[in-house]
Amino acid sequence: MLSRDEYLAEWSRWHGGTDPASSRLVHGWLTLAYTLARSVAWLPPLGATALGLLVALAAVGPALAGGAWLVAAGLLVGLSGLLDSLDGALALAGGRASRRGYVLDSAVDRLTEAGYAVTLWVAGAPGWLAALFGALCWLPDYLRARAGQAGVAETGSISVWERPTRVVMTGFTVGGAGVVAAAGLTGVAGVGDVPAAVVTAGAAVGSLLGVVGTAQLGFSLRRALEDQPPR
């Protein structure tokens, strides 16, 4: 298995030369995934990919139950994100990376983020806000994919709205609402359903980060597209 530095360099190569050290959250997230990959090197990357999707979809159940069950939903969201990074670490550090696996992993990421949006919705966020949150999870990677088709080799600078941020925002939002419910703060005068208000606030903050992150990425990709020779 590759060393950590070799793994991070390989991750950068597969992501258009992006330096993971430019974001503490991304760097820390990848380092955690690599550490776990070393202990479960026997696990096939595809197995981790499938398990991550199943765990993400499973979070909808306890989110729908509400109350203290929201803590379980938040933990499942976090676990799904970790499994998603684990499959990449297993593939890259173990020398098993392939273009087919890269595409499959990207497709599964979009499905899990749809699951996050549904989790926020059933946990109390308005439908339109949950849908906006989900769309802003999809948009940056869609822009990167289209820019790649236009000849841009780089994936753009790391923004405030990368995959780890989306997982952390969803997990902490839903889990935090569960902690509030477990503490008995289910209704306050002038606020109503406090756990639902927490989920709504978290989804709104996440959506704001999504707008900012997409703008950051858009400016970065625009410069890269302007440098491309005309077809």
Side-chain angles (χ1 to χ4, degrees), residues 6 46 64 94 118 196 226:
E6 290 172 334
L46 182 59
L64 187 60
V118 173
E226 289 174 346

Side-chain angles (χ1 to χ4, degrees), residues 157-161 211-221 223:
S157 59
I158 293 181
S159 73
V160 297
W161 190 237
V211 171
V212 173
T214 301
Q216 288 179 318
L217 178 62
F219 285 123
S220 175
L221 291 177
R223 290 194 298 268

Side-chain angles (χ1 to χ4, degrees), residues 80-144:
S80 73
L82 194 55
L83 285 167
D84 168 63
S85 293
L86 176 62
D87 66 0
L90 287 168
L92 293 175
R96 292 176 283 182
S98 67
R99 294 184 183 276
R100 182 179 63 178
Y102 182 76
V103 172
L104 177 62
D105 180 60
S106 297
V108 170
D109 285 351
R110 306 292 77 77
L111 292 176
T112 58
E113 287 164 353
Y116 296 164
V118 173
T119 297
L120 289 169
W121 174 48
V122 300
W128 67 268
L129 183 58
L132 177 62
F133 183 98
L136 288 167
C137 287
W138 284 47
L139 186 55
D141 293 281
Y142 174 78
L143 290 175
R144 285 184 169 118

Side-chain angles (χ1 to χ4, degrees), residues 14-41:
W14 277 86
H15 292 80
T18 301
D19 183 7
S22 61
S23 168
R24 289 186 178 182
L25 178 59
V26 172
H27 186 271
W29 189 269
L30 292 175
T31 299
L32 176 60
Y34 171 78
T35 302
L36 291 175
R38 287 183 62 88
S39 62
V40 293

Side-chain angles (χ1 to χ4, degrees), residues 120 133 169 173 197-207:
L120 289 169
F133 183 98
M169 280 300 306
T173 293
V198 170
V199 174
T200 299
V205 172
S207 297

